[in-house]
């Protein structure tokens, strides 16, 4: 019989056990990424993220692992449930703590439950149901209001197998590489007016005399990381608060995931060829590029779009990556060739009194989002969308 054990730190499971279940190089579920969050103090009980990761063993062999956190708030998740928390409060019921399976501060869809390669599809489905049952027992122990799995792929997303879960649709805007040979061949697929607008936008960077350079993780110096962390904090301070991530997190990421981290720095050549004025951090795997964090010392027309989007597209074309996920939200990405895609989360609530309301909420939200996504598809810049 499988044994379900929960751990208050990922290092208690260990890198060897955790990574032995990885089937690809998706960076966010790697031991290196998750442990950097914990070792830097970015994820900790003090910040409202208490790790309680799940490891399933059978006959002394680890057969499944899942990231899991006990949350005392809903910050850093990107699937917004503040209205649910308000509804609980209005009814005199505590919404926090809640259990969460997600990659902290990272709205990238991908695997959340990893299995040993020897398990068949049927065994994985059975184990998924057992995992959910174990999580519900844990929720009872912590008096948690429920469990939430965000940006899901795989067996957790099999809606027919998990009727106790409420599934919630979200949308993001991703770029897809259709065998483009250059950025020019990409924008040749645009209507003439949209192509002209994009070229005009990029020309502003040339007029500012700004140059961009990609620096791989193996080449990132401590000074470069300090410079980037300044950019990162500026972005959050403009919103009135500090960034979620500690400076040590970026250093640990450079030290442990160097082959998958890249920073694109922007230099104002009118002032300095060595002091960057902006930067964007990306992670990559063998198929995809992920835009994560960005910031700038000063305002330049179109610098954000160039650094975070166009440079990323050129990187994907140059390195033959299939997809570019530039981050959450932002309908402005549509006119730049990023297409609306579906993302999904799953939710289990311990209190039966809220099930009908949540079912109605997610159903109405899905209908609204599907209409919005169809509207946005009609606004894509491609010639066939005219």
């Amino acid at each position: 019989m499988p044994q379900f054990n929960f751990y208050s730190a990922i290092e208690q499971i260990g890198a060897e056990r955790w990574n032995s279940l990885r089937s690809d190089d998706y960076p966010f579920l790697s031991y290196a990424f998750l442990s950097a969050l914990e070792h830097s103090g970015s994820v900790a009980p003090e910040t409202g993220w208490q790790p309680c990761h799940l490891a399933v063993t059978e006959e002394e062999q680890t057969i499944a692992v899942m990231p899991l956190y006990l949350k005392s708030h809903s910050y850093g998740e990107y699937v917004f449930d503040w209205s649910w928390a308000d509804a609980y409060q209005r009814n005199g019921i505590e919404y926090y703590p809640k259990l969460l399976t997600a990659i902290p501060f990272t709205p990238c869809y991908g695997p959340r439950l990893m299995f040993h390669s020897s398990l068949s599809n049927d065994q994985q489905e059975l184990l998924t149901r057992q995992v959910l049952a174990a999580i519900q027992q844990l929720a009872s122990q912590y008096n948690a209001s429920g469990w939430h799995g965000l940006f899901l792929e795989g067996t957790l997303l099999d809606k027919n197998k998990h009727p106790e879960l409420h599934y919630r649709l979200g949308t993001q805007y991703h770029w897809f590489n259709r065998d483009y040979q250059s950025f020019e061949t990409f924008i040749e697929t645009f209507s003439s007016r949209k192509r002209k607008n994009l070229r005009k936008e990029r020309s502003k960077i040339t007029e500012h005399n700004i140059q961009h350079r990609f620096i791989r993780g193996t080449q990132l110096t401590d000074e470069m990381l300090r410079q980037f962390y300044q950019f990162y904090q500026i972005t959050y301070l403009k919103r009135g608060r500090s960034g979620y991530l500690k400076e040590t997190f970026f250093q640990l990421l450079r030290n442990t995931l160097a082959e998958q981290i890249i920073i694109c720095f922007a230099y104002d050549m009118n002032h300095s060829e060595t002091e960057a004025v902006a930067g964007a951090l990306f992670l990559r795997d063998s198929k995809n590029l992920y835009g994560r964090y960005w910031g700038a010392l000063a305002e330049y027309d179109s610098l954000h779009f160039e650094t975070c989007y166009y440079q990323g597209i050129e990187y994907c074309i140059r390195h033959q990556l299939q997809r570019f996920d530039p981050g959450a939200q932002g309908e402005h990405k549509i006119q730049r060739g990023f297409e609306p895609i579906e993302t999904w989360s799953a939710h289990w609530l311990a209190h039966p009194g809220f099930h009908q309301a949540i079912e109605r909420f997610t159903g109405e939200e899905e209908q609204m989002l599907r209409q919005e996504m169809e509207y946005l598809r009609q606004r894509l810049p491609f010639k066939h969308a005219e």
Side-chain angles (χ1 to χ4, degrees):
M1 288 291 292
Q3 301 294 314
F4 300 84
N5 297 302
F6 298 93
Y7 297 88
S8 60
I10 195 169
E11 67 180 1
Q12 294 172 358
I13 298 174
E16 184 176 353
R17 289 176 66 195
W18 187 276
N19 286 334
S20 69
L21 303 185
R22 295 183 70 198
S23 60
D24 56 29
D25 57 349
Y26 175 72
F28 302 110
L29 203 55
S30 67
Y31 181 90
F33 190 88
L34 296 173
S35 64
L37 288 168
E38 293 181 27
H39 283 288
S40 67
S42 305
V43 163
E46 296 77 20
T47 63
W49 294 80
Q50 169 60 63
C52 43
H53 304 303
L54 171 64
V56 185
T57 57
E58 189 170 43
E59 297 179 355
E60 299 185 0
Q61 183 176 50
T62 303
I63 59 173
V65 292
M66 170 194 277
L68 188 63
Y69 303 90
L70 190 69
K71 289 292 303 293
S72 59
H73 55 66
S74 292
Y75 293 105
E77 299 176 12
Y78 300 93
V79 175
F80 303 107
D81 61 354
W82 298 108
S83 62
W84 300 9
D86 289 342
Y88 270 64
Q89 187 177 28
R90 287 195 303 271
N91 286 274
I93 304 170
E94 295 292 334
Y95 189 69
Y96 305 106
K98 65 177 184 178
L99 287 168
L100 180 77
T101 290
I103 311 300
F105 323 119
T106 307
C108 293
Y109 73 76
R112 297 293 181 263
L113 178 57
M114 296 193 296
F115 300 101
H116 193 277
S117 59
S118 65
L119 296 184
S120 67
N121 289 339
D122 288 344
Q123 289 173 316
Q124 290 181 20
E125 290 176 3
L126 173 60
L127 192 54
T128 300
R129 292 195 292 273
Q130 294 172 324
V131 162
L132 290 170
I135 289 173
Q136 291 171 18
Q137 290 181 358
L138 184 70
S140 178
Q141 293 175 30
Y142 281 120
N143 199 27
S145 66
W147 169 83
H148 309 263
L150 309 185
F151 301 101
L152 298 176
E153 275 188 345
T155 57
L156 287 168
L157 200 49
D158 193 334
K159 302 174 189 178
N160 296 323
K161 300 287 175 55
H162 309 296
E164 76 279 18
L165 299 180
H166 300 284
Y167 284 93
R168 188 177 181 188
L169 176 65
T171 185
Q172 291 182 348
Y173 311 99
H174 293 188
W175 178 87
F176 296 92
N177 189 352
R178 295 184 169 88
D179 296 323
Y180 301 117
Q181 300 304 305
S182 66
F183 194 91
E184 276 299 310
T185 60
F186 162 57
I187 62 171
E188 281 298 323
T189 64
F190 284 27
S191 67
S192 57
R193 183 172 61 86
K194 298 292 178 62
R195 185 165 61 246
K196 181 179 178 181
N197 290 342
L198 194 150
R199 283 177 175 154
K200 183 177 179 181
E201 197 167 65
R202 295 202 81 183
S203 70
K204 293 173 183 177
I205 301 302
T206 305
E207 292 167 8
H208 292 314
N209 199 18
I210 290 174
Q211 291 186 8
H212 286 83
R213 301 172 199 158
F214 277 94
I215 309 296
R216 299 195 307 271
T218 52
Q219 299 171 317
L220 286 169
T221 65
D222 289 345
E223 179 55 36
M224 289 175 178
L225 288 176
R226 280 192 291 270
Q227 197 172 36
F228 176 76
Y229 188 70
Q230 182 185 12
F231 299 149
Y232 166 76
Q233 284 290 7
I234 286 171
T235 298
Y236 278 87
L237 290 172
K238 287 178 181 177
R239 304 170 189 167
R241 56 186 174 86
S242 296
Y244 295 119
L245 299 167
K246 313 287 187 185
E247 186 172 359
T248 312
F249 167 76
F250 296 98
Q251 296 169 348
L252 290 168
L253 210 58
R254 185 268 316 266
N255 294 344
T256 58
L257 266 182
E259 297 300 325
Q260 292 186 263
I261 183 175
I262 321 130
I263 297 181
C264 180
F265 285 112
Y267 300 86
D268 184 340
M269 304 303 283
N270 296 315
H271 296 96
S272 174
E273 297 183 8
T274 57
E275 293 295 321
V277 295
L281 183 144
F282 302 84
L283 280 93
R284 62 160 294 174
D285 54 32
S286 56
K287 296 180 179 179
N288 308 299
L289 183 69
Y290 308 92
R292 301 308 330 131
Y293 318 107
W294 125 279
L297 294 178
E299 296 289 338
Y300 292 83
D301 191 359
S302 301
L303 181 59
H304 173 255
F305 299 135
E306 180 67 36
T307 310
C308 295
Y309 304 150
Y310 303 144
Q311 289 293 319
I313 289 172
E314 288 197 330
Y315 183 93
C316 288
I317 294 171
R318 191 161 56 247
H319 293 273
Q320 298 181 319
L321 300 181
Q322 297 175 7
R323 179 173 62 94
F324 176 22
D325 166 4
Q329 303 166 341
E331 291 181 11
H332 56 269
K333 297 168 186 168
I334 288 288
Q335 61 186 304
R336 296 170 174 88
F338 291 82
E339 303 173 35
I341 60 114
E342 294 182 3
T343 62
W344 287 95
S345 56
H347 309 267
W348 170 79
L349 300 172
H351 197 295
F354 287 89
H355 285 214
Q356 189 174 0
I358 294 300
E359 190 73 27
R360 185 169 60 251
F361 175 91
T362 54
E364 292 174 353
E365 185 182 48
E366 178 175 341
Q367 185 178 14
M368 180 192 69
L369 274 174
R370 290 198 181 281
Q371 292 174 351
E372 181 181 338
M373 289 171 70
E374 183 56 34
Y375 168 76
L376 290 172
R377 286 190 189 99
Q378 301 304 315
R379 297 178 64 84
L380 285 165
F382 307 120
K383 293 173 183 176
H384 64 76
E386 290 184 306

